[in-house]
Amino acid sequence: MSQNKRSGRADHAPADSPPPIDLDLRSKAPQAPLTPQTERFHIFLIDTGWNVPVSKAVRAHIPLLHQYSRQDTLYILTPEQSVEVLKHMPETIGHDPIVVVYDRYGSHSKHSRNYHGFRLNLGLIKNPEQALARLQEFVRFVSMNRTADCLDTEVKRSLHREGLQGMVKILREASTELL
Amino acid sequence: MNEEVPIVPIIVGVLGALYFGYEIDRQRNKLRAIFNVFDRKESLIASALEQLVESGQLKPYVPGESV
């Protein structure tokens, strides 16, 4: 699959007929121990353009996002493609820009038919600066947890601020916002 | 023996603790809404995304291309 993807990337320049990319977003057991260089995530940006200020801020930072996760594959959907995809998930209409991250090597469970990862609903944030802060947190999280066995646990602990440490972090953030 | 129990500070303390708990919970719910772990919904859009990529309509991002 990696080979196919690489060839897809190479053929992105005008060419006759690029070979089809065989994409399977389901998680599977890694063949080798995970390293920081492992191509682990498929990242999709779904953005219909509904939330204009946040959309502009996110799109302006896509090159940076790509630079931080060169090992992974990033896909940017057009507004039309985003609308089509969100029709499958109507409850998230208006939550875009949404960054959807599929983990190729997530732990298996019956609940999500072996699709693992997480999503970042940036459209829920009205202020572009706050949205960028969350995007930075997301990039930091992905970089720091590339080799984690169970990403779901890390999301809860780190991003949802669960536990005592998370509570302290919430308080610290609240005090910073007040300043 | 007839010491009065300081009701007002106790009530203020309890209300403060309740508000603290409520605020932490509110912030966590907000974060859960923004950063969401996958559930069934993502498996519904996964096939749509796979099809877009496999049909060649959606290609990996290449630095320098306009977005």
Side-chain angles (χ1 to χ4, degrees):
Chain A
M1 171 146 33
S2 182
Q3 282 293 342
N4 282 340
K5 219 177 289 152
R6 289 227 166 73
S7 56
R9 198 174 275 168
D11 286 339
H12 192 73
D16 300 324
S17 56
I21 299 174
D22 177 26
L23 184 69
D24 184 5
L25 295 172
R26 285 186 182 86
S27 291
K28 48 189 89 59
Q31 301 294 314
L34 296 173
T35 69
Q37 283 72 42
T38 305
E39 182 187 354
R40 181 166 183 178
F41 304 111
H42 291 292
I43 305 171
F44 294 86
L45 176 69
I46 300 172
D47 182 17
T48 60
W50 200 275
N51 189 336
V52 178
V54 173
S55 177
K56 273 186 183 169
V58 171
R59 284 177 182 272
H61 292 84
I62 283 172
L64 203 52
L65 177 67
H66 179 261
Q67 274 188 317
Y68 274 112
S69 51
R70 278 184 183 279
Q71 310 92 313
D72 307 315
T73 316
L74 174 65
Y75 298 91
I76 316 291
L77 279 77
T78 63
E80 294 77 21
Q81 289 170 337
S82 301
V83 169
E84 286 307 313
V85 167
L86 288 187
K87 280 181 186 172
H88 295 271
M89 211 165 54
E91 58 281 358
T92 55
I93 291 173
H95 293 188
D96 55 299
I98 303 174
V99 181
V100 186
V101 182
Y102 284 90
D103 183 4
R104 301 175 66 191
Y105 304 119
S107 53
H108 287 225
S109 81
K110 290 172 189 167
H111 302 293
S112 51
R113 290 168 51 203
N114 283 341
Y115 290 105
H116 285 270
F118 58 100
R119 69 184 138 99
L120 174 59
N121 296 323
L122 288 170
L124 291 175
I125 306 167
K126 299 298 163 219
N127 183 334
E129 284 177 15
Q130 285 178 351
L132 274 187
R134 291 299 175 213
L135 185 63
Q136 287 166 1
E137 189 176 7
F138 155 79
V139 172
R140 194 162 46 238
F141 176 82
V142 168
S143 299
M144 290 172 70
N145 294 284
R146 298 196 63 85
T147 55
D149 286 336
C150 185
L151 212 63
D152 295 7
T153 312
E154 293 304 322
V155 168
K156 285 173 188 160
R157 191 183 60 80
S158 175
L159 298 179
H160 294 169
R161 314 267 194 274
E162 287 186 0
L164 192 65
Q165 210 178 356
M167 199 165 75
V168 173
K169 206 169 174 185
I170 287 177
L171 291 174
R172 206 168 52 211
E173 285 169 354
S175 61
T176 312
E177 280 172 21
L178 286 175
L179 288 176
Chain B
M1 278 304 212
N2 275 340
E3 272 182 36
E4 278 185 28
V5 182
I7 294 288
V8 173
I10 289 174
I11 289 175
V12 170
V14 168
L15 287 175
L18 284 174
Y19 178 72
F20 178 76
Y22 165 78
E23 194 56 30
I24 296 283
D25 196 47
R26 201 177 66 90
Q27 287 295 330
R28 279 182 179 153
N29 282 338
K30 208 165 136 186
L31 288 168
R32 280 187 205 114
I34 294 170
F35 296 105
N36 232 318
V37 179
F38 277 11
D39 52 28
R40 281 205 165 271
K41 282 174 255 169
E42 279 74 14
S43 47
L44 292 176
I45 64 162
S47 51
L49 291 170
E50 284 168 348
Q51 272 179 6
L52 279 174
V53 173
E54 285 170 5
S55 66
Q57 294 175 64
L58 180 59
K59 291 175 178 165
Y61 170 76
V62 177
E65 81 180 24
S66 62
V67 286

